[in-house]
Every structure is written in C-alpha cells, then in structure tokens.
Amino acid sequence: MSEDHTHVQEFFGARAADWDRKFPDDGPAFTTAVAEFGLRPGDRVLDAGCGTGRALPALRAAVGPAGTVLGADLTPQMLAAARQAGRGAQGTLLLADVARLPLRDGVLDAVFAAGLIAHLPDPEANLRELARVVRPGGGLALFHPIGRAALAARQGRELTPDDRRAENNLGPLLAGSGWDMTSYADEDARFLALAVRRA
C-alpha cells in the first residue's frame, strides 16, 4: 500500500460502498476478537481505521452504555458507509488520521485496530501515537479476520520476511512504540496480537 494518504483514501473510497458485501462473513470474527480483548464496562475505546465500523457494535456491547466508543478513519466514504449501516449509533465517528489523533494524552483505555498496520506510513511513529492516547496499562488489539498466509493467498502474493505482522517483526515494532505484546495468534481464520501500553 502506498504511503501517500491520497492513494489510501482513493483505494478505500472506491471500495467503501461494497466493502461489507464483499466480506459478509467477518462479523463473528470481529465479535470474538473484541471478546478476547478483555474490555470492561465503562471503558473508553477507539476503533482506529474503523472503515465501515464493523467492530463498533461489538465494542459498544463490551463497554456498555457507560463506556465511550470512537471510530476514526481517514476515508470519508468509509465513514459514510458506517453511518448508512447504522453503526454511527454505536459510537462517535471521526474523520481523522490515526497518525495525528485529535485526542488528549492518556484519554483512552484501549485501541482496537482491524487491518490497520499494513497501511501505516510510519508504523513505529503511528503506533507511538496510538500509545500516546492510551493510559499506561491500557490495551491495543491488532486484528484481521483472516491470518497472514490466508490474506497473502487472497491477494495473490507471497509472505515475505519483512511482513510487519510476523511475530518476530511485530514484537520489536510494538516495543519500540511504547507497547508490550502479550499474546499473538496467526491462524487461517484470524490474526490477533494483543499488547499493553507500557507505564
């Protein structure tokens, strides 16, 4: 994926209207990932790069009516699709770049990010920005509804040693960005890496 934000917006903007129809069976994987994340009622959580908001209902269910759910995305068409699907009722949608979030330091308990890491132009700096808005001890979930090998096959490419989501690359990347990885799962049916914000 290009590091140019305009290209990212064009890529996802052109696909926003059909995104949910293209991946109709991902819902249960999002629900399971959010459950494993361990959010508590009342927590404040950001869905970073929320796209059409597929995680928002599960995030809202996890934090309850007393919690705060934010969804941030760079692409207006994705946020429009989220609203059209009724997911705007599950949280506040923000047109925002996750590299420069309009949030105070330490204001969140957790960040959930589905499919985001492959699109970050400066992964260490961008993950550091996510750490900035999360309180010490708060959580990060990096998720994808299918694993690395299955995704590579779907995209017609080979897995390479420099894949950011490979465990031996991701652990140090997170560590250099203020996070400690606590669990890692890369299976055909899902990818889920959990980390804790370092104090």
Side-chain angles (χ1 to χ4, degrees):
M1 180 61 64
S2 168
E3 296 182 5
D4 178 45
H5 281 168
T6 303
H7 181 76
V8 171
Q9 287 176 314
E10 288 173 355
F11 179 89
F12 286 105
R15 292 160 176 79
D18 294 322
W19 194 260
D20 287 355
R21 283 191 292 275
K22 189 173 179 184
F23 306 108
D25 302 323
D26 288 349
F30 276 85
T31 301
T32 300
V34 170
E36 288 186 41
F37 194 16
L39 295 169
R40 295 168 303 214
D43 274 354
R44 298 155 299 174
V45 61
L46 168 69
D47 183 358
C50 67
T52 61
R54 293 182 294 169
L56 296 179
L59 293 171
R60 171 55 67 197
V63 304
T68 299
V69 177
L70 304 174
D73 203 274
L74 188 64
T75 306
Q77 296 94 323
M78 282 289 194
L79 295 176
R83 288 187 187 93
Q84 188 171 357
R87 296 180 186 128
Q90 306 298 323
T92 301
L93 297 174
L94 306 171
L95 179 63
D97 182 353
V98 300
R100 288 180 299 280
L101 289 164
L103 300 171
R104 296 189 318 273
D105 293 359
V107 72
L108 300 175
D109 297 295
V111 171
F112 184 88
L116 177 70
I117 193 164
H119 304 292
L120 297 177
D122 185 348
E124 188 166 331
N126 302 152
L127 289 167
R128 196 175 302 117
E129 171 67 357
L130 296 181
R132 180 187 68 78
V133 299
V134 173
R135 63 168 175 79
L140 171 68
L142 300 175
F143 167 72
H144 200 282
I146 60 175
R148 293 187 314 121
L151 182 61
R154 177 191 285 175
Q155 295 174 341
R157 61 177 175 83
E158 297 286 327
L159 278 179
T160 59
D162 63 347
D163 185 338
R164 290 177 190 169
R165 296 188 308 154
E167 187 172 10
N168 61 316
N169 295 330
L170 186 59
L173 175 60
L174 288 167
S177 307
W179 301 95
D180 292 317
M181 192 160 66
T182 57
S183 69
Y184 181 91
D186 181 17
E187 304 154 3
D188 281 347
R190 66 153 188 175
F191 174 91
L192 182 63
L194 302 181
V196 172
R197 168 76 161 86
R198 198 175 302 123

